[in-house]
Amino acid sequence: MRAAHPPPAADTTALSRLLGTALDALREGARARGGPLPAGGPEAVARRVREVLGEPFPETGRGSQEALRTLVRVLAEGAADPADPLCAAHLHTPPLALAAAADLAASALNPSMDSWDQAPAASALEAEVTAALAAEVFPAAPHPDALVTTGGTESNQLALLLARERHGRVTTVVGANAHHSFRRAAWLLGLPEPVVVPTPSGTIDPEALRETLHGAPARTDGGPVLVAATAGTTDGGLIDPLPEIAEVCAGARAELHVDAAYGGPVLFSSVHRRLLDGLDRARTVTVDLHKLGWQPAAAGLLAVRDAADLAVLGHTADYLNADDDTEAGLPDLLGRSLRTTRRPDVLKTAVTLRALGRTGLGALVDRCMELAQDLADRVEKAPGLDLRERPVLTTVLFRPTGADDTTVAAIRRALLAGGRAVLGRAEADGRLWLKATLLNPHATPGDLDRILTLVEGGTHR
Ligand SMILES: *Cc1c(COP(=O)(O)O)cnc(C)c1O
């Protein structure tokens, strides 16, 4: 007898049965892990995966239920789980259930955003939602727009590409606090290495920027310049002084890009949005919704103040957007990305915006901001811990009093190896700090205390 072919995702009865299995496996895996990450470190985890996996591509298949149960379970068991409040190293968000559910629907339908005949409603939805989000970033601009990207790295790269295309060439000026993706983007695009303005205080000093732009033309070659400022540094959650930087840029005829991958969603908070004053003076803005935004990856955006800036991305491939198809009214989507096949990542975001509204999303931002202040208070009160400075966003840098850098690094690794907590590390003031990035609105004061207790326990073992 011929084996039955596996059912397609469109068979929702089959999908629902498999989904039940996947959800059971998620629960079982999380229970087996019992903490924010698996204990034992990389070797133990890799050994466990190899054992369970056996042959990755067997001659005879083991069947859908077994494969799904086994591998989802082992992945969950060995996950660094952002839903655990003690998993707080990176901008690694605990995704919302509704966004994950929407993402499943997106996978099942599998629209591809490179041509209208693969994504009729999805492309229309993307157009509406990106327009609305672009207007959040550039409320006063007549024609803002936004592209959906895989994240801050791709958005920053596109920002440099657009600047290069406006001018033929461009030198990027960044703070020493900027994301590493600018250096790679310049490398990839054949641009000069970014000129780096030192940021000893953690953010760009507008005077130092002015000197770089005016005082030393050799450094920027006297040619076109794109200044990339950061709203939410990856290491410290700090925000460059955007209004002052925008002034300096205007005075030096430099263009401004703001990397708000981390801080951008603060726009949704009526309490905190003033922190982003000046953001709309940028020409382009990077925003990630898979950080503050609670989307499963990927959910990046590049917002542009003027949609006309995107025209250079136009590109024709006859099978996708032949001129006569476009003239006949089929939307031309190929210029919305450098990718071709592209997931409808906008669906989960659209669902989230509709479900929570600005107020609901803003409340999640506010809660994480509160947690960061609370953690900072607790660090200040702990006799054995030093706080780097009061948090601006949701990142708290701290270290045991008197510990050397080697000890700080060792504490972090011991917590990882024990599966007890996932904290990050960051250099500031020439020293190494532990970093807690708080993106979990469900974290409790008790969780914050547990983090600190674990770190304090690590200093006298
Ligand atoms: C996270 C981050 C990026 C990179 O974004 P990805 O989504 O990881 O590609 C860029 N800039 C800043 C400031 C970030 O925090």
Side-chain angles (χ1 to χ4, degrees):
M1 205 179 72
R2 208 159 62 99
H5 290 307
D11 177 346
T12 49
T13 309
L15 180 59
S16 172
R17 245 190 330 264
L18 289 165
L19 202 54
T21 301
L23 297 179
D24 287 345
L26 282 177
R27 271 189 294 269
E28 288 165 21
R31 200 176 313 122
R33 174 175 13 95
L37 84 166
E43 270 182 37
V45 173
R47 195 178 325 118
R48 173 85 180 131
V49 169
R50 275 196 303 271
E51 259 168 34
V52 171
L53 180 63
E55 223 186 327
F57 190 12
E59 188 58 34
T60 306
R62 294 171 184 265
S64 318
Q65 291 285 348
E66 193 280 343
L68 194 60
R69 179 185 307 282
T70 306
L71 295 187
V72 171
R73 190 184 183 288
V74 79
L75 204 70
E77 183 183 339
D81 184 357
D84 188 308
L86 272 69
C87 184
H90 300 285
L91 289 158
H92 178 199
T93 212
L96 296 170
L98 91 163
D103 220 12
L104 173 79
S107 290
L109 280 169
N110 203 27
S112 183
M113 309 301 287
D114 46 324
S115 66
W116 186 84
D117 56 4
Q118 301 175 84
S123 57
L125 182 69
E126 186 180 273
E128 297 297 321
V129 173
T130 51
L133 288 169
E136 294 285 317
V137 178
F138 295 110
H143 304 293
D145 199 354
L147 298 180
V148 174
T149 70
T150 52
T153 301
E154 185 187 345
S155 298
N156 289 340
Q157 196 182 97
L158 279 169
L160 261 64
L161 172 64
L162 296 179
R164 187 192 75 182
E165 293 303 298
R166 286 195 291 274
H167 302 291
R169 70 198 167 102
V170 71
T171 300
T172 314
V173 174
V174 300
N177 60 357
H179 193 256
H180 64 83
S181 53
F182 289 107
R183 175 178 290 272
R184 278 188 150 182
W187 167 72
L188 180 69
L189 295 167
L191 298 172
E193 267 199 32
V195 173
V196 179
V197 182
T199 51
S201 72
T203 55
I204 294 178
D205 169 12
E207 261 322 299
L209 176 65
R210 192 194 311 276
E211 278 167 29
T212 301
L213 296 182
H214 289 283
R219 298 185 64 200
T220 55
D221 204 17
V225 169
L226 179 74
V227 172
T230 307
T233 60
T234 312
D235 273 356
L238 304 178
I239 300 176
D240 285 330
L242 302 178
E244 291 82 358
I245 288 172
E247 278 306 303
V248 171
C249 288
R253 297 160 50 84
E255 290 178 346
L256 177 62
H257 167 71
V258 177
D259 179 357
Y262 177 8
V266 169
L267 284 172
F268 306 141
S269 159
S270 55
V271 182
H272 297 293
R273 61 175 306 155
R274 297 278 327 257
L275 288 171
L276 297 181
D277 280 358
L279 183 69
D280 61 347
R281 296 185 61 183
R283 183 115 182 193
T284 47
V285 173
T286 289
V287 178
D288 268 350
L289 294 173
H290 56 234
K291 293 174 175 173
L292 283 175
W294 300 281
Q295 301 300 298
L301 292 167
L302 178 72
V304 299
R305 192 169 52 198
D306 184 354
D309 278 3
L310 299 177
V312 295
L313 298 177
H315 183 73
T316 305
D318 272 346
Y319 75 106
L320 295 171
N321 61 349
D323 287 343
D324 59 310
D325 275 350
T326 304
E327 274 154 33
L330 292 187
D332 173 357
L333 306 179
L334 212 48
R336 304 290 300 174
S337 178
L338 295 181
R339 288 176 279 158
T340 305
T341 298
R342 185 160 67 82
R343 280 174 60 81
D345 285 320
V346 74
L347 177 62
K348 61 197 168 201
T349 300
V351 168
T352 304
L353 298 179
R354 182 179 177 93
L356 304 186
R358 188 179 293 102
T359 317
L361 264 174
L364 294 180
V365 171
D366 293 349
R367 176 64 191 142
C368 291
M369 301 280 274
E370 256 169 46
L371 283 165
Q373 295 301 329
D374 188 358
L375 181 61
D377 289 344
R378 285 163 203 273
V379 171
E380 281 184 331
K381 288 200 195 101
L385 298 173
D386 295 343
L387 179 71
R388 162 92 209 296
E389 61 185 343
R390 298 299 306 183
V392 176
L393 291 177
T394 68
T395 301
V396 180
L397 299 187
F398 63 103
R399 69 201 311 284
T401 307
D404 59 17
D405 288 356
T406 312
T407 308
V408 172
I411 291 173
R412 188 183 96 89
R413 282 190 297 269
L415 293 175
L416 291 178
R420 284 171 295 171
V422 193
L423 293 176
R425 52 185 284 165
E427 292 253 343
D429 311 326
R431 288 191 296 175
L432 189 64
W433 298 80
L434 294 168
K435 173 172 83 165
T437 311
L438 303 177
L439 296 184
N440 190 334
H442 296 287
T444 63
D447 295 324
L448 304 181
D449 278 340
R450 276 163 66 212
I451 292 176
L452 299 185
T453 305
L454 284 168
V455 169
E456 288 172 313
T459 54
H460 27 75
R461 262 171 315 139

